[in-house]
Amino acid sequence: MSINRVIINSSPLIVLFKSQQAELLPQLFAEILVPSGVFEEVTMAGEDDAASRQLPGISWIKRVEITGLAPEVAAWDLGKGESQVLSLALKTSANSAAIVDDTARRCGQALGITTIGTGGILIRAKRRGLIKNVSSGIEALRDAGLWLSDSVVNLLKQQAGE
């Protein structure tokens, strides 16, 4: 399934910026939506944080104001960012939600929302020829603070044909 638009949560944005891989996003998706709560969460870290410093000047994101949460998402009692990402995905069509939280991913899948993790973004990048392998990208994500179990890393490498 081709995904042209992605609604992205804080964690994927932060680790992609910190691992210097954020530039993959505009190469993979025609439109990158960032809910207002996610934007605020990322930028409140201050000037010492790569994502906080860079996000406000990025031209390829579209910041979206969220006025209310979808009741079916609110019932899951997720964090503000995850709730806004999934609510926006329900309100719009042909979207994918980039989230890493397991409960938020289960919520999205239960509601019929296509979810993609940060590792999945790297797999897409490899399939499009934007990166040579996912192994070095995964290592950079881990160095940037994303916890990935060895079994998840092995699964990602297998899906990428490595």
Side-chain angles (χ1 to χ4, degrees):
M1 180 176 140
S2 179
I3 303 168
N4 292 320
R5 183 187 308 166
V6 68
I7 304 163
I8 193 162
N9 194 28
S10 307
S11 295
L13 270 177
I14 291 167
V15 296
L16 286 168
F17 274 108
K18 285 185 178 180
S19 66
Q20 300 180 358
Q21 299 180 92
E23 73 281 350
L24 293 173
L25 291 171
Q27 296 175 68
L28 291 170
F29 306 103
E31 195 172 18
I32 299 123
L33 306 178
V34 178
S36 53
V38 169
F39 188 92
E40 292 159 13
E41 194 175 317
V42 172
T43 56
M44 72 181 199
E47 283 297 308
D48 293 338
D49 180 79
S52 180
R53 186 176 57 253
Q54 294 175 49
L55 186 62
I58 298 295
S59 62
W60 43 259
I61 67 153
K62 181 179 178 187
R63 186 174 173 181
V64 180
E65 291 298 323
I66 304 294
T67 54
L69 299 179
E72 55 269 60
V73 172
W76 283 74
D77 197 28
L78 303 169
K80 181 179 182 179
E82 289 92 352
S83 295
Q84 286 191 358
V85 166
L86 294 171
S87 291
L88 182 58
L90 277 179
K91 292 178 187 176
T92 56
S93 61
N95 284 309
S96 174
I99 48 179
V100 294
D101 179 80
D102 287 339
T103 305
R105 288 179 75 131
R106 281 195 302 277
C107 171
Q109 290 161 354
L111 298 173
I113 299 166
T114 301
T115 61
I116 185 171
T118 313
I121 290 170
L122 294 181
I123 291 169
R124 287 175 57 93
K126 182 180 178 191
R127 288 180 180 158
R128 291 234 189 126
L130 301 174
I131 60 175
K132 290 184 195 286
N133 63 63
V134 298
S135 298
S136 56
I138 289 169
E139 195 59 41
L141 292 175
R142 281 178 148 179
D143 291 346
L146 181 64
W147 185 86
L148 293 169
S149 69
D150 290 341
S151 60
V152 168
V153 169
N154 291 334
L155 179 62
L156 291 169
K157 287 179 182 179
Q158 181 183 1
Q159 289 175 344
E162 295 179 20

